[in-house]
Amino acid sequence: MIERFVDPDKIDVHADCIEMDELFSGERVREGRELKGFELVEVGEVESEGIEVVGECSDLLGIHVIVSGVSDDAAQAIESIFSEVINRMKGVEYRFRKENVRIIVSRDAEGRFTPDCVGKVVFDAVKAIPAVERVRVRIVCDEEEFERVLSRSSRVHAEREERASRLRERDVDTFYGCISCQVYLPNHVCIITPERPSPCGTLYNEAKSAEELKLVHYYFPVEKGEEIDGEKGEYEGVNRTVQEKSDFRIERVKLHSALENPPSTGNYAEAIVFYIPEENGFGIVDRGYKKKTPIGLTFDEMEKLIVGQQVEGFVGVSFAYMKSKSFLKGDGGWEKVRWVSPNVYDFIMEFLPDDVLRRIRTSS
């Protein structure tokens, strides 16, 4: 068992370069400069601790951290603290995970939000974990290096997803919950299982390691309890936890269904599954697709409709969940999918058989 290293309610990081406080964690930055980013923590030899800034910061800011003294599972969990600490900066909003990071910097914060400042905050946060022996932080702004490390980040995360995918819900007694979105959505709770990553892409092993390391306060263990419906993914312990954490706004959850008691959807879903009544099947639209879907709604319109709520016929999902053997198995799985956005199609064509792909269209 990993020791409890960091106080669960606080990562005590301060900076002279920018005003920081937990009170700013729920701040929405409506206007400002948007930076594209990524987050990657790897285990490796660290000859020289410190902070390295690669290139001049314009619209790119990737965070690449090399650590020693921890396992790879712990390393991937450390990635979850980046949003935690950067969102404490006044006038800064850190959105999404992994290769999809977006950082919005208000005009008032622009002069203070620098690569060196980000590097120092990230370095101090990671260094505060006693299990971590040595740390090197690379803030990547150079376009060529950004694309190189972004590609590596994608490969590393894919390998971690593949490793995590071998575990099944039946193999464990404990799932993990996440309430990070309750800053904005007070009745929303995610349940993360070996076969259902969170809609924002957090894997079971990441949540497990983050909770055990006590890196952030919003992950917590969930006793699975008695199985009520294995096909749809309903468990007695999960229902009890969701009731408590949602202030009893949600009574039941079927983890692998979009039609019947689906999980509620948080702020940063990578994609949304929606029911198409005329076809008795489903569509899947990713966040980057801006056109209307077959039901006449865009991703943004669907998100506003369902965010923080349980809405039957809609559910937020991650790309990692699409690869799960339990993907929508309570509703018929991929056999019931009729339409996907082009980005989703490019992703699923890597692992779905041709006979399934032939039944899925991308034109609205």
Side-chain angles (χ1 to χ4, degrees):
M1 186 65 168
I2 301 173
E3 293 179 39
R4 305 311 200 195
F5 293 121
V6 180
D7 184 274
D9 295 321
K10 193 170 186 181
I11 299 171
D12 192 16
V13 175
H14 302 280
D16 295 330
C17 52
I18 194 168
E19 187 176 354
M20 294 184 68
D21 196 289
E22 289 181 70
L23 292 173
F24 301 133
S25 292
E27 181 182 18
R28 284 291 200 189
V29 179
R30 301 297 180 186
E31 295 183 5
R33 183 162 60 107
E34 180 172 322
L35 304 176
K36 179 182 177 182
F38 61 78
E39 51 188 31
L40 175 63
V41 178
E42 298 184 274
V43 178
E45 287 189 25
V46 180
E47 294 182 4
S48 174
E49 285 195 298
I51 303 160
E52 175 188 2
V53 176
V54 184
E56 297 290 328
C57 184
S58 55
D59 57 352
L60 302 175
L61 195 150
I63 303 173
H64 184 201
V65 178
I66 299 93
V67 296
S68 64
V70 298
S71 67
D72 188 63
D73 280 347
Q76 66 181 350
I78 290 170
E79 292 172 0
S80 67
I81 72 173
F82 298 163
S83 62
E84 174 81 9
V85 296
I86 292 174
N87 273 326
R88 294 181 185 183
M89 297 178 176
K90 185 177 182 180
V92 179
E93 184 180 356
Y94 186 106
R95 301 176 181 173
F96 312 123
R97 292 290 317 276
K98 300 177 183 178
E99 291 75 56
N100 301 309
V101 170
R102 295 294 182 273
I103 304 172
I104 317 299
V105 184
S106 70
R107 292 185 180 90
D108 290 340
E110 271 205 61
R112 298 185 297 277
F113 184 85
T114 65
D116 293 288
C117 183
V118 175
K120 182 182 186 307
V121 168
V122 170
F123 181 90
D124 289 348
V126 177
K127 192 66 176 174
I129 304 167
V132 174
E133 293 173 356
R134 295 175 69 81
V135 182
R136 184 159 189 83
V137 174
R138 303 180 74 236
I139 303 299
V140 183
C141 302
D142 175 76
E143 184 174 357
E144 184 176 342
E145 180 66 1
F146 184 95
E147 292 299 328
R148 187 189 73 79
V149 184
L150 179 70
S151 178
R152 176 173 178 78
S153 178
S154 182
R155 290 196 306 273
V156 169
H157 288 132
E159 290 167 3
R160 289 171 176 171
E161 287 174 12
E162 176 62 29
R163 186 172 69 238
S165 71
R166 301 186 193 113
L167 197 62
R168 296 284 180 266
E169 288 174 359
R170 64 174 178 267
D171 298 329
V172 301
D173 295 322
T174 303
F175 297 157
Y176 288 87
C178 177
I179 53 171
S180 64
C181 287
Q182 285 197 356
V183 172
Y184 310 106
L185 309 169
N187 303 121
H188 169 68
V189 56
C190 265
I191 302 297
I192 302 168
T193 84
E195 297 178 70
R196 194 184 196 281
S198 72
C200 69
T202 300
L203 303 178
Y204 177 81
N205 285 351
E206 291 175 321
K208 181 176 185 291
S209 295
E211 193 280 327
E212 290 181 341
L213 285 169
K214 293 301 179 189
L215 295 176
V216 289
H217 67 277
Y218 41 75
Y219 293 117
F220 58 94
V222 176
E223 290 304 313
K224 181 173 68 175
E226 291 295 321
E227 181 181 281
I228 298 172
D229 187 332
E231 194 68 13
K232 287 184 167 62
E234 185 177 13
Y235 301 90
E236 179 270 332
V238 170
N239 283 342
R240 184 171 59 250
T241 297
V242 169
Q243 290 165 12
E244 294 170 356
K245 296 295 184 180
S246 71
D247 197 23
F248 292 89
R249 301 293 179 90
I250 300 174
E251 295 288 331
R252 301 173 66 183
V253 164
K254 296 180 174 66
L255 296 168
H256 304 300
S257 175
L259 290 177
E260 190 179 335
N261 305 116
S264 62
T265 297
N267 269 318
Y268 304 124
E270 294 178 343
I272 294 174
V273 172
F274 57 92
Y275 184 61
I276 309 173
E278 297 81 5
E279 302 184 51
N280 189 27
F282 296 100
I284 308 173
V285 58
D286 70 279
R287 182 175 290 277
Y289 187 76
K290 301 304 180 185
K291 299 178 183 178
K292 297 280 188 182
T293 64
I295 61 170
L297 297 174
T298 65
F299 179 97
D300 290 344
E301 289 167 339
M302 287 187 216
E303 186 176 44
K304 288 175 183 176
L305 176 69
I306 70 172
V307 70
Q309 302 181 73
Q310 183 183 63
V311 181
E312 293 187 338
F314 297 88
V315 68
V317 299
S318 63
F319 282 93
Y321 179 50
M322 293 180 205
K323 296 180 75 172
S324 169
K325 289 181 170 55
S326 292
F327 179 74
L328 292 184
K329 69 177 182 179
D331 298 329
W334 283 105
E335 297 292 331
K336 297 287 284 186
V337 176
R338 303 289 181 257
W339 180 93
V340 299
S341 54
N343 284 343
V344 173
Y345 191 87
D346 289 345
F347 179 75
I348 64 176
M349 66 185 297
E350 298 293 328
F351 59 88
L352 287 181
D354 289 342
D355 62 319
V356 174
L357 291 170
R358 278 195 293 269
R359 292 195 293 269
I360 300 174
R361 69 184 193 280
T362 58
S363 59
S364 299

